[in-house]
Amino acid sequence: MRLSLRTRLLLVALGAAVAGLLVVDVSTYVLVNRAQLDLVDQELDRAHIPIERAANGALVDLGEETRADRDTTEEGSLIDTVRDLAPEFYVEFRPADGKPPIVAPLRRPGQDDVTLIGANLPAPRRAGLSTYRTIRTEGDTELRARISLEEDGGVLVIARPIESVVHTRSVLFAVLATATAGAVLAVLVVGVWLVRIGLRPLIDVERSAARITDDNIAERVPGEDPTTEVGRLAGAINSMLDRLQGAFDQRDRDLTTLQESEARMRRFVADASHELRTPIAATAAYAELFERGAKDRPQDLERAMTGIRSETGRMAVLVNDLLLLARLDEGRPLDRAPVDLADLALEAVDSARAVDPSHPVKLRIAEVVVVPGDRVRLRQVVDNLLGNVRTHTPPGTACTVEVDRVGNAAVLRVRDDGPGMEADDAALAFDRFHRADVSRTRASGGAGLGLSIVAALIESHGGSVSLDSAPGAGTTVTVTLPLDDATEATE
C-alpha cells in the first residue's frame, strides 16, 4: 500500500507521540503504585513490633505445658490481645514445631472473615528478615502481607487490605487512559495542521511544476532556499528547467538557422540560375548563328566567336565566385601567414590606378600593421572594394584607401566621393546577388557578388566589415581584422 508523504509524516508523528505517552503512562502507573505499596509496607513495619511483642508475651505467659496443650480459650485470648493492638490487620503466627497456626482473621462488617490460611507465603531464610507480598483472596480482597522469620523459627504474617491502593490504581489508570486518548487526539489535530503548513512549499512547487508545459517553459517553481530541503528541491528543479529552456531555445535557434539557411540556399540557387541563364542563352544564340552559316561569313564568324568568348568568360567568373562562396560557407580553412596590410594595400592601389586611371586612388597609411591571413584572399578583398568603386561611381570619382590600427585590430577603409546609396540599399549591400540599381545591366553591374565575397572572406579571417553610405555623401567600407599575436607581443 502506497501512502502519501503527508500521511507518512502524520503516522510517524502520531506513533512517536503514542510511544512517548505510553512510556510516561507506564512509568507513572508503576511509580505511583510502588510508592503507595511502600507506604503500606512502612505501616506494616510499624505494626510488626508491638504485634510481635504481644504475641511472644502471651505465649510465654501460657507456659511450656500450655503451649503444648493449647486450647481454644487460651488461643482466643492471644487473638484478642493481638486484635486489640491492630484491629484492621490480619495476623497469623505459624509455630516452628509444625503445630496449627494461630490466626487473627480480618473482620469486616457485613463480610466473612478474611484469612490467608493455605496461601503460599514463603518465609525469609534468616531470622530478622522479612518479605512483602500482595495477595488476592478467594473473595477478591487484595491484602499486602509482611512475612518475617522469628528467632524461635516461627513465621509471623501481618497483612492489611489495600482497597485504597486498588482504588487509586483504578482511578490513575482511567485518568492516564483518558489523558492519553486526549493527547493522541490533540497530536493528531495539531499534526495535521503542522504537516499541512510544513508541506505547503512542496505543494506550491507541485502546482507550479504542473503548470509548466512546452508553451510555458519559462514558469519557475517558488521557494528556492539553500537552507531547507524543499528550497533545495525547488532550486534543483529550476536549474533543470533552465537547462531545458536553454536546450529548447537552442533547438529553436538551430531550426531558425536551418530554415534561414534553406531559404538562402533556395534564393541562392534561384539567383545563380537567373544569372547563368542570360550568358547560357547568349552562348546558345551565338552557337546557333554559327551553325546557320556564320562560319562561311568572316564578319559573322568573328562576331559569334567574340560573343561566345565574352559570355563564357562571364560564366567562368560567376562560377568561380559561386565556388568560392560555397567553400567559405563550408568553413574550409584558409592559408594563414603574417600579412603586411599596408604593403598589400599599396599593391592593390597601384593595380587599380593601372586598370582605370579615370578613378584617382589615394593611399594613406597611418600605421603599419600585420595580420594573420591568406594574402591572396585579402588582396581579393581590396581588389573587390576598389572594383566596386569603379563599377558604381562615375569617372573622376576620387577614392581613398586607409590603413590604420585601432586597439588590438587592424582597420582598412575604402572611401569614395561617389553618389552614395539609399539606406535600404546600404542595408542589403552584402547580400548575394543584390544590386543597388535595378536598371543596371549585368554587363556593367556584375552579378552582385562582390561585397558578398568580401564579407565572407573577412568573416573567415575572424574579422568584420561594415558599410556607411548616404545619398550624395559617398560610401565608406570599413574592414576590421584581428592583429597577429606575434605583432601584439612585440609591441
Side-chain angles (χ1 to χ4, degrees):
M1 181 176 61
R2 296 180 179 179
L3 299 177
S4 65
L5 177 60
R6 177 183 298 176
T7 303
R8 290 199 297 268
L9 290 175
L10 189 58
L11 289 178
V12 169
L14 195 60
V18 169
L21 289 171
L22 287 178
V23 170
V24 172
D25 291 348
V26 172
S27 301
T28 302
Y29 185 84
V30 170
L31 291 175
V32 170
N33 185 61
R34 182 68 262 174
Q36 287 191 311
L37 291 178
D38 287 342
L39 293 175
V40 175
D41 292 343
Q42 292 174 11
E43 189 175 352
L44 292 173
D45 289 339
R46 288 192 298 269
H48 171 265
I49 296 176
I51 291 175
E52 183 182 37
R53 288 176 181 173
N56 289 334
L59 290 175
V60 170
D61 293 340
L62 289 174
E64 293 297 330
E65 184 178 354
T66 306
R67 291 181 63 187
D69 302 319
R70 96 177 48 108
D71 55 18
T72 306
T73 303
E74 294 168 341
E75 184 176 334
S77 177
L78 177 60
I79 293 172
D80 292 339
T81 301
V82 172
R83 185 173 290 118
D84 290 338
L85 293 172
E88 297 181 0
F89 285 78
Y90 169 83
V91 179
E92 178 182 334
F93 181 75
R94 298 179 180 181
D97 54 8
K99 293 184 177 182
I102 301 173
V103 178
L106 178 64
R107 292 180 176 176
R108 312 178 76 176
Q111 298 182 8
D112 295 336
D113 293 346
V114 177
T115 66
L116 297 178
I117 297 176
N120 183 19
L121 301 173
R125 295 182 179 181
R126 290 189 304 167
L129 298 180
S130 59
T131 59
Y132 302 89
R133 293 287 186 275
T134 299
I135 304 168
R136 181 183 293 274
T137 65
E138 294 181 357
D140 289 335
T141 300
E142 286 195 33
L143 300 177
R144 184 69 173 176
R146 182 183 188 276
I147 306 101
S148 60
L149 183 63
E150 302 299 310
E151 294 294 337
D152 60 358
V155 176
L156 179 61
V157 178
I158 303 174
R160 63 152 293 177
I162 54 173
E163 288 92 346
S164 61
V165 176
V166 174
H167 177 71
T168 302
R169 282 191 309 208
S170 301
V171 173
L172 179 61
F173 182 83
V175 170
L176 291 176
T178 303
T180 300
V184 170
L185 181 60
V187 168
L188 181 62
V189 174
V190 175
V192 170
W193 179 65
L194 290 178
V195 168
R196 180 176 299 176
I197 292 177
L199 293 181
R200 185 174 299 167
L202 189 59
I203 295 174
D204 293 339
V205 170
E206 176 187 1
R207 291 173 178 172
S208 298
R211 291 195 297 268
I212 298 173
T213 60
D214 291 342
D215 299 331
N216 188 27
I217 194 64
E219 178 82 16
R220 292 295 179 268
V221 299
E224 282 195 51
D225 187 355
T227 61
T228 64
E229 291 78 2
V230 176
R232 289 193 291 271
L233 174 63
I237 293 177
N238 286 337
S239 298
M240 178 188 67
L241 292 174
D242 289 339
R243 292 192 293 271
L244 286 176
Q245 185 175 10
F248 288 153
D249 292 343
Q250 184 61 43
R251 180 199 64 181
D252 294 339
R253 288 193 295 269
D254 293 343
L255 181 60
T256 301
T257 301
L258 179 61
Q259 292 173 345
E260 293 176 351
S261 177
E262 291 178 352
R264 286 197 303 270
M265 180 60 67
R266 289 193 295 269
R267 187 167 58 251
F268 178 80
V269 171
D271 292 340
S273 301
H274 181 73
E275 293 295 332
L276 288 171
R277 182 176 59 184
T278 299
I280 289 175
T283 301
Y286 285 126
E288 185 179 357
L289 178 63
F290 177 82
E291 291 175 354
R292 287 184 179 182
K295 59 183 179 180
D296 299 327
R297 296 187 295 274
Q299 184 177 359
D300 291 340
L301 178 61
E302 180 181 2
R303 176 187 172 193
M305 291 299 102
T306 300
I308 290 174
R309 281 195 299 273
S310 175
E311 297 301 330
T312 54
R314 287 181 58 202
M315 284 191 292
V317 171
L318 179 59
V319 169
N320 287 334
D321 289 345
L322 294 176
L323 288 175
L324 175 60
L325 288 173
R327 292 191 187 98
L328 295 176
D329 289 342
E330 291 177 0
R332 294 186 182 181
L334 300 173
D335 294 334
R336 295 284 177 171
V339 178
D340 187 337
L341 198 59
D343 182 61
L344 183 141
L346 178 61
E347 293 178 1
V349 168
D350 288 341
S351 176
R353 289 170 178 168
V355 171
D356 187 1
S358 65
H359 285 80
V361 182
K362 299 179 181 179
L363 177 63
R364 189 178 71 85
I365 299 175
E367 186 174 351
V368 176
V369 289
V370 177
V371 297
D374 188 326
R375 182 180 181 86
V376 174
R377 296 306 181 187
L378 291 178
R379 170 64 187 274
Q380 185 178 0
V381 168
V382 183
D383 288 342
N384 280 6
L385 292 176
L386 292 175
N388 200 58
V389 173
R390 293 193 298 271
T391 301
H392 301 300
T393 61
T397 302
C399 176
T400 303
V401 178
E402 300 177 359
V403 178
D404 198 358
R405 171 177 176 171
V406 177
N408 295 325
V411 177
L412 183 141
R413 295 188 184 88
V414 177
R415 179 184 294 111
D416 66 64
D417 298 331
M421 303 169 61
E422 297 289 342
D424 294 341
D425 290 330
L428 302 174
F430 296 102
D431 289 355
R432 297 174 184 180
F433 299 105
H434 174 73
R435 294 187 180 88
D437 186 0
V438 295
S439 65
R440 238 179 23 240
T441 64
R442 291 182 178 85
S444 62
L449 295 176
L451 291 181
S452 299
I453 293 175
V454 168
L457 287 173
I458 295 302
E459 183 178 353
S460 66
H461 281 80
S464 61
V465 59
S466 61
L467 183 143
D468 183 19
S469 182
T475 301
T476 300
V477 178
T478 302
V479 174
T480 303
L481 292 168
L483 291 175
D484 184 35
D485 294 338
T487 301
E488 294 184 47
T490 303
E491 297 179 358

